[in-house]
Amino acid sequence: MTSLSDIHDEYDFLDGDDRYRLLIDLGKTLEPMPDALKTDATLVRGCSASVWVYPTVRDDGRLHFLADSNAAITKGIIALVLVSVQDAEPAAILATDVPAALAPFDLSKQLSSNRTQGIPNMIALIRETAARYAG
């Protein structure tokens, strides 16, 4: 998986429309999420588009998230969020300041408020999941 720093280096170099394309391409890299997992229980509340996040626990206790959205740019946003926490131990996820990690992207200036309003809810769901598994 590409690091947030590498993604930001490319993102920072691009203009508005190309940044949208980068986010859409990033969303395409998400592991496919089976439709059976796209339920009310995995739906992230407060997003303008439908976003589903489903956690799995690897044998070593690290959390791996499956995610999807019915909107291409929103799918890219959740992919960007996951880059900072994917396959990490629950305690490491809880210690990660995801908003700070995403701050260099300045998404609120690049995207409409409708697109960004659900990001805190995505992060909260991931943190709540990590807290459950951190025990």
Side-chain angles (χ1 to χ4, degrees):
M1 180 176 278
T2 306
S3 73
L4 271 181
S5 176
D6 290 342
I7 295 168
H8 182 262
D9 287 347
E10 184 175 353
Y11 185 85
D12 202 34
F13 179 75
L14 300 172
D15 291 332
D17 286 347
D18 289 329
R19 287 179 173 184
Y20 281 117
R21 279 191 276 287
L22 176 66
L23 285 173
I24 290 168
D25 289 344
L26 190 60
K28 291 176 183 176
T29 67
L30 283 175
E31 185 177 340
M33 183 176 187
D35 286 340
L37 297 178
K38 297 174 189 175
T39 66
D40 195 53
T42 62
L43 185 67
V44 178
R45 307 281 180 239
C47 295
S48 59
S50 295
V51 178
W52 300 272
V53 177
Y54 181 82
T56 61
V57 182
R58 295 184 350 181
D59 290 342
D60 61 3
R62 295 175 183 265
L63 293 177
H64 181 83
F65 295 91
L66 298 175
D68 200 0
S69 175
N70 64 347
I73 290 176
T74 305
K75 189 171 180 173
I77 293 169
I78 188 62
L80 192 62
V81 169
L82 288 180
V83 169
S84 62
V85 298
Q86 192 69 286
D87 297 324
E89 294 178 354
I93 293 170
L94 291 172
T96 301
D97 186 345
V98 179
L102 297 179
F105 290 90
D106 205 7
L107 293 173
S108 63
K109 288 189 179 175
Q110 301 300 321
L111 305 170
S112 70
S113 62
N114 282 350
R115 296 263 187 237
T116 58
Q117 71 185 6
I119 295 173
N121 297 350
M122 294 175 198
I123 295 167
L125 182 107
I126 289 166
R127 290 184 56 77
E128 289 165 12
T129 301
R132 276 198 317 273
Y133 287 100

